Amino acid sequence: MTDILKVLQVSKNFVKPIDIASKVVNMFGNFYNQEVVHAVDNVSFNVTSGEVVGVVGESGCGKSTLGRMIAGILPLTSGKLDFHDQHYSGFDEGNYKHNSHIDLKIQMIFQDPFSSLNPRQKIIDIISEAPIHHKLISKKDKKYFVKDILNKVGLGTDAMDRFPHQFSGGQRQRIGIARALAISPEFIVCDESIAALDVSIQAQVINLFLKLRQDLNLTYLFISHDIGVIQHIADRVVVMYLGQIVETASSDEIFSHPNHPYTKALLQGVPTLDTKKKIYTPIKGEIPSPINPPSGCYFHPRCKFSTNKCITDKPSYKEVSPNHFSACHLNS
Ligand code: SF4
């Protein structure tokens, strides 16, 4: 198996512009610094061809920003992204490069299919718009082309002449998937793609993703705040906290032998059948601000194992068992 995607020391900062009052104060000699949100902080990992890598963490941990950079929607602040060993986005020898040809091979499916579908366009036009624009198909072939793709996502030909509001949430997400497939991507970033659906529909859409992976040889980066969803779909799991990766391992390893206290806390929140636990329990404490992250280990204000060392020293990210990496002082 070869690596299809390499994420190499990628960071993304957002600079909050200073308001008028602060500008006026600056004019009189005082100085207000611009606030910088460190949304993604020096993240590296690889994705193997055909793999489903799940990225999990609470909202605000930087997983969606990471997904948007990989899909070519957001520029990087530093680091670089390689696709099939070809550099396509980020910095190389100090220069920013972006290869939009590779963007076509990487598509993104969003959480809310309704807001991402033009309500005035018929489904046939929504699905065929990008492949016609990129000259992958001709206008005269679009009917056959769209019919085939609708069939792949489990929708009938009659869907072609209807509008987005005429479909249920699950059907609209299938249309979103069909639109992404229309470009013949190799890699799909799914950003909370089933979060807005009923639980029964979620299972159907997960099964569709897995079938399409098999049929079309796709690779997925599957982003979710719900570690229970990740357990169902991912081969490997990347756990993020406050813009950084805190643990990575195969799905089997993460769910049988989680190492990082944050991963363990996420798992404790998942309702299970065997313990008859039906209610999601959030992790105690607030997520700190990414503008002013805590010293040492970013998780220390919420961690029940925190020591003085955790407050002062950043833990190194190291291999705790074969292909299982974690950043915690308890492994020292
Ligand atoms: Fe908890 Fe310390 Fe490990 Fe951070 S380094 S997760 S604070 S034990």
Side-chain angles (χ1 to χ4, degrees), residues 89-109:
S89 195
F91 290 84
D92 205 1
E93 295 175 357
N95 297 315
Y96 193 79
K97 290 181 185 165
H98 188 83
N99 183 340
S100 50
H101 176 68
I102 286 183
D103 284 351
L104 291 182
K105 293 283 161 203
I106 305 174
Q107 290 296 302
M108 190 152 185
I109 298 171

Side-chain angles (χ1 to χ4, degrees), residues 51-69:
E51 200 178 21
V52 181
V53 170
V55 180
V56 68
E58 292 162 292
S59 70
C61 73
K63 55 193 188 309
S64 291
T65 302
L66 176 66
R68 278 160 203 257
M69 287 192 283

Side-chain angles (χ1 to χ4, degrees), residues 260-262 297-301 303-307 310 313 315 327-330:
H260 198 280
Y262 179 61
C297 171
Y298 284 2
F299 190 52
H300 85 251
C303 180
K304 60 183 176 187
F305 305 107
S306 177
T307 63
C310 303
D313 296 359
C328 177
H329 287 308
L330 295 177

Side-chain angles (χ1 to χ4, degrees), residues 3 45-48 51-55 230 234-238 248-251 323:
D3 285 332
F45 65 96
N46 294 356
V47 181
T48 303
E51 200 178 21
V52 181
V53 170
V55 180
I230 293 292
D235 301 313
R236 201 149 54 85
V237 182
V238 172
T248 311
S250 70
S251 194
N323 295 318

Side-chain angles (χ1 to χ4, degrees), residues 18-32:
I18 55 173
D19 57 22
I20 292 175
S22 304
K23 282 181 186 165
V24 171
V25 171
N26 282 350
M27 283 165 61
F28 287 96
N30 290 316
F31 192 69
Y32 274 107

